[in-house]
Amino acid sequence: MAFVTRQFVRTVSSSSTASATAKKIVIKHVAVIGGGLMGSGIAQVAAATGHTVVLVDQADDILAKSKKGIEESLKKIAKKKFAENPKAGSEFVEKTLSNISTNSDAASVVHSTDLVVEAIVENLKVKNELFKRLDKFAPEHTIFASNTSSLQITSIANATTRQDRFAGLHFFNPVPMMKLVEVIKTPMTSQKTFESLIDFSKTLGKHPVSCKDTPGFIVNRLLVPYLLEAVRLYERGDASKEDIDTAMKLGAGYPMGPFELLDYVGLDTVKFIMDGWHEMDAQNPLFQPSPSVNKMVAENKLGKKTGEGYYKYK
């Protein structure tokens, strides 16, 4: 009897697993909204793994620049990956580019997509307006995802009628090189949606990790307070920025010191994230803004992109 019971449980369990798997969406067609660095990177890795991709932005000149940037990136990858076979490298570039089309009207392309990934400006109102509009045109099965690094996924999802088919899909820069993807599940995100995005991330050759809809998710929640604490250490005169950077590289094995990383990420980006968290939880000691960072941003000393931050760049 015990044997029969075990067999019955196994059969039911197996059937349930198969049923759950069958319900998952196999993502083949992707619309990426935003032709900037992140959006272009997401479009590139999706196209390189056989997905049909539409890259969307407001202006044709931005899209042309994005497509050119993707082509240059692919050529660099092909040169390394197919060093012994240049012809195969050229074919890889051509095939990947053939999987990418561009469009300046998001509403006109989402009707035939399985996944919409948003990678536009970090502004809740703008994101909400975009998703509210797209929600009317996308099919019922289509999953919506935001690449936001600092805003609450739930707040963005609430602009739609598909909270169960909405999640965070946070890639890291540069997307073609960085293996990590944070998959953010809100209280409303269905297991089917979550598992579909996990599978999609793996298909891209990425390593997905899961996190609840908490400020900064995993990486930024740990990284940004660390960066600001390094600034406070420097502000107090406890150590020079050069010694702090050296200490963290040689003592902790980090590839970049905190001040080098601040300049690389952009002080305006770090300030934006911290300001948003501070607004959410002003009493949290980890979320206190830095007066010196605020001053440097006001002076447009944002790091590498402006030629000066904590260090100067030619």
Side-chain angles (χ1 to χ4, degrees):
M1 186 67 183
F3 173 78
V4 174
T5 303
R6 281 198 299 273
Q7 286 292 92
F8 175 76
V9 170
R10 283 175 188 161
T11 303
V12 171
S13 177
S14 177
S15 299
S16 299
T17 303
S19 176
T21 303
K23 290 179 181 177
K24 285 191 289 186
I25 295 169
V26 178
I27 296 167
K28 295 181 179 178
H29 306 290
V30 183
V32 180
I33 316 297
L37 201 59
M38 294 303 295
S40 295
I42 296 166
Q44 178 181 320
V45 297
T49 48
H51 298 84
T52 303
V53 182
V54 182
L55 182 60
V56 181
D57 210 302
Q58 294 176 321
D60 290 335
D61 58 332
I62 294 175
L63 290 169
K65 185 179 178 182
S66 301
K67 199 81 183 281
K68 185 179 179 182
I70 291 171
E71 184 176 1
E72 289 173 357
S73 175
L74 286 169
K75 285 179 178 177
K76 288 179 183 177
I77 292 170
K79 194 173 181 180
K80 289 183 179 180
K81 190 175 180 181
F82 302 96
E84 304 299 320
N85 191 346
K87 185 182 177 182
S90 297
E91 290 173 354
F92 163 74
V93 173
E94 288 176 19
K95 187 176 181 181
T96 301
L97 288 174
S98 71
N99 286 336
I100 304 175
S101 60
T102 58
N103 202 301
S104 56
D105 182 9
S108 69
V109 303
V110 297
H111 63 82
S112 58
T113 193
D114 302 315
L115 171 66
V116 175
V117 183
E118 167 272 313
I120 63 173
V121 63
E122 287 285 79
N123 182 297
L124 181 60
K125 184 180 177 183
V126 176
K127 290 181 190 292
N128 281 349
E129 288 173 354
L130 171 71
F131 278 118
K132 186 176 182 180
R133 180 166 171 256
L134 298 186
D135 194 35
K136 300 173 184 176
F137 296 94
E140 187 178 343
H141 80 277
T142 303
I143 295 172
F144 283 2
S146 175
N147 183 60
T148 182
S149 60
S150 61
L151 299 175
Q152 194 175 36
I153 300 298
T154 304
S155 298
I156 306 172
N158 284 341
T160 75
T161 59
R162 63 183 75 212
Q163 287 96 333
D164 61 321
R165 286 151 287 157
F166 204 115
L169 203 58
H170 184 219
F171 292 82
F172 290 80
N173 185 38
V175 179
M177 306 300 294
M178 299 293 279
K179 288 291 185 183
L180 185 68
V181 176
E182 291 177 324
V183 182
I184 314 306
K185 187 178 182 183
T186 76
M188 298 92 72
T189 306
S190 70
Q191 188 65 18
K192 169 185 170 181
T193 296
F194 173 72
E195 290 179 6
S196 298
L197 291 176
I198 290 288
D199 288 352
F200 172 67
S201 301
K202 290 178 179 177
T203 303
L204 298 184
K206 303 301 183 186
H207 190 120
V209 295
S210 173
C211 183
K212 290 182 179 179
D213 192 13
T214 185
F217 315 137
I218 298 174
V219 175
N220 283 337
R221 180 59 180 267
L222 296 174
L223 183 61
V224 174
Y226 152 72
L227 294 175
L228 269 293
E229 187 57 25
V231 171
R232 295 182 189 106
L233 191 69
Y234 172 57
E235 287 173 340
R236 292 194 300 267
D238 294 338
S240 69
K241 60 181 184 292
E242 292 83 3
D243 281 352
I244 294 170
D245 277 351
T246 300
M248 293 311 294
K249 285 188 288 186
L250 300 184
Y254 289 7
M256 300 174 77
F259 293 96
E260 292 171 327
L261 188 54
L262 279 160
D263 281 356
Y264 178 79
V265 171
L267 297 178
D268 54 335
T269 301
V270 174
K271 170 179 160 52
F272 177 84
I273 292 171
M274 189 55 72
D275 286 350
W277 294 357
H278 182 67
E279 190 176 328
M280 272 191 280
D281 186 2
Q283 302 306 312
N284 193 324
L286 294 176
F287 296 169
Q288 300 308 306
S290 163
S292 66
V293 169
N294 290 348
K295 182 175 182 293
M296 291 178 73
V297 171
E299 295 170 350
N300 201 42
K301 296 177 181 177
L302 309 181
K304 276 195 167 185
K305 58 187 171 186
T306 59
E308 183 178 358
Y310 281 101
Y311 298 105
K312 290 186 178 181
Y313 304 88
K314 291 181 180 180

